[in-house]
Every structure is written in structure tokens, then in C-alpha cells.
Amino acid sequence: MKLRCEVQVSDHQLCIKKPGKAAFAQVSVGRKPGHKDGPIYVMICTAQNRNGTKYVIWKNLKQIFGKFVKDGKATVRFMNPPHDLAFSKANADLLDTFLKVVKLVAQGKGLPDESLSSLAPASLKQVERPVTSLSVMSPSEYPMSFPKSLTKLMICNCRLRRVSPHVLSLNLLTTLDLSFNSLSSLPEQMSQLKSLTSLSLAHNEFVTFPIVLCKTDVRRTLLVLDMKHNEMHSVPSCIKECEKLQSLVLSSNKLHSLPQCLGHMKSLTSVSASDNKLQYLPGSMLRKTWELADFSNNPFNLSIDNSTQAASFAVPSLAEWSARSVVNHEVQFTKEDLDLHSIQYVQGAHFCVCGSACFETSVRATKKRPLWATSAYQGDVPLQMHFCSLRCLKLFNSSKR
């Protein structure tokens, strides 16, 4: 059993604790070489002490503090010597397994030999701190391969036209910056980046929004998406599938409109779409207060303020009622459940200011209102709104907002 993480050693008997500095280490549970029936130890090997420091477990383990195992943190307390071994930045699953093995040994329970390691000195590679961040700023710096331990990767000014499979195999990546390249699409294999939270595709050649971000597992983890300085003309409504997205940067594109779903994305708090060709904003933007809402340098038509008439409403068809229910209740469906025409119909939903889906039986109007935001485009903005019912129309017209 071996674990690689940071370890901090301190003496728990001292009145004033002076813990040592955390060091990257290889932590092993096992017996000394050639001692098949000998005692089982926890051994800590570092770059400064590759031979390792050993702590016998049987009748020597005092306590395990494992409240934060899911965060890759735990502390093991020994009686002799009176040391606390504080583990951090560990793989949560491996740390949990490590603690279970230590507990079983402390309880005197037998373990299969494959669960234990031979406590030999560690190699230099085993105790070297893994590379977690890398910046590649020119084609001449581009490596043949990338360290599997990377969590942050920046590849800029490399004239990339596609994302390398080597990059897509880095499943620990949380931050990926591919700005200032020549990308125009993303591969389906983006789904392999299961930890990705921040993605920058700024200053590339995207003409259409990369749908793969909405249709693969990336949509479940992505928090920040930067696509400024591209050539996009629209953003699809399926962006609402990025359920955890908090910040969306779309500045300096060729956008004529934004999807109505933006205001209904619960996690989204920051939107920047300055320097585009927007004539109006989605009415759903009024539903929440934004931390940042930058829509400066757009050709807004502030002379439009349409009125709406109650007589414009009609009774929705059965097909529309069904489609509204599918969207409002987030019913999952596949091509086996619905025909292509029905799928296209459902995906073409508008959203009323109340948040409900509506289709052809709705009233659309453009209203001028100020946005509520900590930092925002100053003054009124034209908002294209949809009303799914007479009640929603009356409520909106009677509100001060």
C-alpha cells in the first residue's frame, strides 16, 4: 500500500506545537524486506530522507482523524514517538484505503500480502513533487508529452488547429488555457477532462459555439468559460446544460442575440458580451442580480418599447402543453423516445419571464429596463421578452422592475 502526498510531522506532546514544514512524500504500509512475519510499519520517505522514517502500527496507533478524507486530508497519531502525521493533497480514494489498512493492522487483523509493501528506500522519482502547472508559450516549447499530474495547463501562441490527444488524456486538469491559437472546433474527447472547471478559448477562430461543451461530461464541472475575440454569431440554448457555469465571457464576437435561457441558469452570476452586435438582451436577464453584466459597445435599439395586448394570447395546443411539461420538469429523452421533429420542437423553447417554457402560443415584446448588477452596462437596455400567459403579462406590466 503506497500513497503520494504532502506530509507534515509534529509532536503532539508539546504544549506549543511547532509542526515541521510539509514535505512531499511517499507513504507506505508494509514490512521490512525479508521479514515476512515481522511488524507492520507506516514509512514516510521524502527527498531529504529517502531511506524513510518508520512507525510501528500494532499497539502504537493512538488515533486517526479522518473527518476530511474526501478533501484529501487526514491525521494519524502515534504514541512512540509521539508524532502526528498530517496528510494533505492526497488522492481521496487512496487516502481512504490507506486509513482502512492502518486501522485493520492496529486491530490485529490479518491482511493479504498484496495489501502491504516491502519497505525499501524510495527512488528519487518516487519522492519528487509532481508537476501540477505548465505553460507553453510558443511552438518551440511544445513538448512531446505532458506530465499526467498536471492540474493547470496553458498553451498559447502555438498556432494550434486541434486539441492534442495528449492534452485530452490529462484527467486531473482543472484549468486549461488554449487562447491565442487557431482553433475552430473541439473534439468529443473533451469529455475525458472530468475535473475541468476553467476553460479559455479566447483569441481563436470559432465561428460556431462548441456544442461539445454542452453535450459531454464537461458540462457538469465547468465553472468559467472564456470565448472572447472569436467569430461567433450566436450561442445555442443548450448552454443551459452547463449546470455549474458561473462566468461566461463572450466579448468581441459577432453575436446578434443571446439565448433566452441565460437568466434561468442558476449558477451563472457573471456575463460579459461587450463589443458585439447585440440589439437586445434576453428578458430572462431581469430574473436575477448579476455580479457582472457587461454589455457595453453594442448597437442597442433603445427606441423600441412594444406594447402587448391580452387579445394576442391563444389556447396552447396539446403538443405545446406536452413540450412545456418536458422542458419545465427537465424530463430526459433520447432519439429513441422522440422523433427528430419533436426533439427540434422541444429544443426551440422560449422562456417566459416567470421561467416557464413556451412555444408558438406566447407573446413577444421588447421592453426597456435597467439590469440589476454590481457592475453593469449603465442605463436602460432593450430586453426581448416572452410571456407564456396573460397572468405573467399582467404581473410584469404592474411591476416596477
Side-chain angles (χ1 to χ4, degrees):
M1 175 68 211
K2 292 184 178 180
L3 176 70
R4 301 178 74 208
C5 62
E6 287 195 353
V7 180
Q8 189 177 52
V9 181
S10 61
D11 191 325
H12 61 77
Q13 287 186 342
L14 294 178
C15 295
I16 301 176
K17 292 188 177 183
K18 295 183 178 179
K21 186 177 179 181
F24 185 77
Q26 176 179 270
V27 185
S28 307
V29 178
R31 295 186 175 94
K32 294 179 180 179
H35 295 71
K36 186 176 181 180
D37 298 319
I40 299 176
Y41 299 85
V42 169
M43 185 169 79
I44 309 295
C45 295
T46 64
Q48 293 74 31
N49 180 14
R50 288 162 55 190
N51 288 325
T53 301
K54 301 178 183 67
Y55 299 85
V56 67
I57 300 176
W58 172 245
K59 294 185 178 181
N60 191 39
L61 179 69
K62 188 171 184 179
Q63 194 171 358
I64 290 178
F65 303 90
K67 184 177 181 180
F68 300 103
V69 170
K70 291 184 179 179
D71 297 324
K73 299 178 181 179
T75 298
V76 177
R77 175 169 290 179
F78 290 101
M79 292 183 285
N80 185 28
H83 286 176
D84 282 354
L85 307 183
F87 305 112
S88 60
K89 299 182 181 180
N91 178 285
D93 293 334
L94 290 178
L95 180 59
D96 184 55
T97 302
F98 167 81
L99 295 179
K100 288 178 180 177
V101 170
V102 171
K103 286 180 182 178
L104 290 173
V105 174
Q107 293 167 2
K109 296 182 179 179
L111 291 172
D113 290 339
E114 56 267 22
S115 300
L116 303 175
S117 302
S118 178
L119 302 183
S123 65
L124 182 60
K125 184 177 181 180
Q126 289 172 325
V127 293
E128 281 183 336
R129 186 180 296 274
V131 178
T132 59
S133 180
L134 178 65
S135 296
V136 182
M137 304 304 292
S138 69
S140 61
E141 297 178 6
Y142 198 91
M144 294 294 293
S145 61
F146 296 89
K148 294 291 185 181
S149 54
L150 285 179
T151 60
K152 296 182 179 180
L153 176 60
M154 177 186 293
I155 306 176
C156 302
N157 297 301
C158 290
R159 300 192 291 273
L160 293 182
R161 293 191 173 276
R162 66 183 185 91
V163 184
S164 166
H166 297 295
V167 174
L168 298 172
S169 67
L170 302 175
N171 53 20
L172 297 181
L173 274 186
T174 60
T175 302
L176 178 59
D177 186 345
L178 298 173
S179 54
F180 294 93
N181 283 293
S182 301
L183 297 171
S184 59
S185 64
L186 295 178
E188 291 289 331
Q189 288 76 16
M190 288 292 294
S191 60
Q192 297 174 197
L193 303 179
K194 299 184 182 300
S195 302
L196 193 65
T197 59
S198 178
L199 175 63
S200 177
L201 300 170
H203 295 270
N204 274 283
E205 299 176 2
F206 286 90
V207 175
T208 59
F209 186 89
I211 300 293
V212 66
L213 298 178
C214 310
K215 299 299 184 182
T216 62
D217 287 344
V218 177
R219 74 184 191 276
R220 305 184 192 280
T221 59
L222 200 61
L223 303 179
V224 178
L225 176 60
D226 186 351
M227 296 203 67
K228 63 176 174 283
H229 288 278
N230 277 281
E231 302 292 325
M232 295 187 300
H233 290 79
S234 64
V235 177
S237 60
C238 66
I239 194 173
K240 67 179 182 294
E241 301 296 329
C242 298
E243 54 196 41
K244 294 186 177 180
L245 192 64
Q246 298 175 1
S247 176
L248 178 62
V249 182
L250 301 167
S251 302
S252 300
N253 275 276
K254 296 181 179 180
L255 300 176
H256 288 84
S257 64
L258 294 174
Q260 285 286 338
C261 63
L262 284 189
H264 305 293
M265 295 174 67
K266 296 179 181 179
S267 300
L268 191 64
T269 58
S270 174
V271 178
S272 179
S274 59
D275 298 286
N276 276 285
K277 297 182 179 182
L278 300 174
Q279 294 187 350
Y280 55 84
L281 299 179
S284 62
M285 297 289 291
L286 282 179
R287 286 177 53 83
K288 59 199 295 186
T289 299
W290 301 86
E291 292 182 6
L292 172 66
D294 184 2
F295 299 104
S296 56
N297 298 324
N298 277 287
F300 289 134
N301 187 347
L302 295 174
S303 63
I304 299 176
D305 196 350
N306 296 338
S307 61
T308 52
Q309 303 295 326
S312 301
F313 282 97
V315 178
S317 65
L318 181 59
E320 177 161 348
W321 279 121
S322 301
R324 287 188 182 191
S325 296
V326 168
V327 177
N328 292 338
H329 296 286
E330 299 181 350
V331 177
Q332 300 297 316
F333 59 85
T334 66
K335 293 180 180 179
E336 296 180 355
D337 302 317
L338 298 175
D339 59 84
L340 181 60
H341 175 75
S342 298
I343 291 175
Q344 291 174 342
Y345 184 79
V346 170
Q347 291 176 340
H350 302 298
F351 288 90
C352 175
V353 292
C354 72
S356 298
C358 53
F359 296 83
E360 66 271 10
T361 308
S362 64
V363 167
R364 185 176 67 180
T366 303
K367 301 285 187 179
K368 291 186 295 184
R369 293 289 191 279
L371 288 179
W372 287 12
T374 305
S375 176
Y377 172 85
Q378 299 299 313
D380 289 349
V381 291
L383 297 143
Q384 188 177 84
M385 300 181 178
H386 291 266
F387 300 97
C388 67
S389 66
L390 178 60
R391 178 176 178 272
C392 287
L393 173 60
K394 289 181 176 179
L395 285 174
F396 180 80
N397 286 335
S398 63
S399 67
K400 295 182 180 180
R401 188 168 177 170

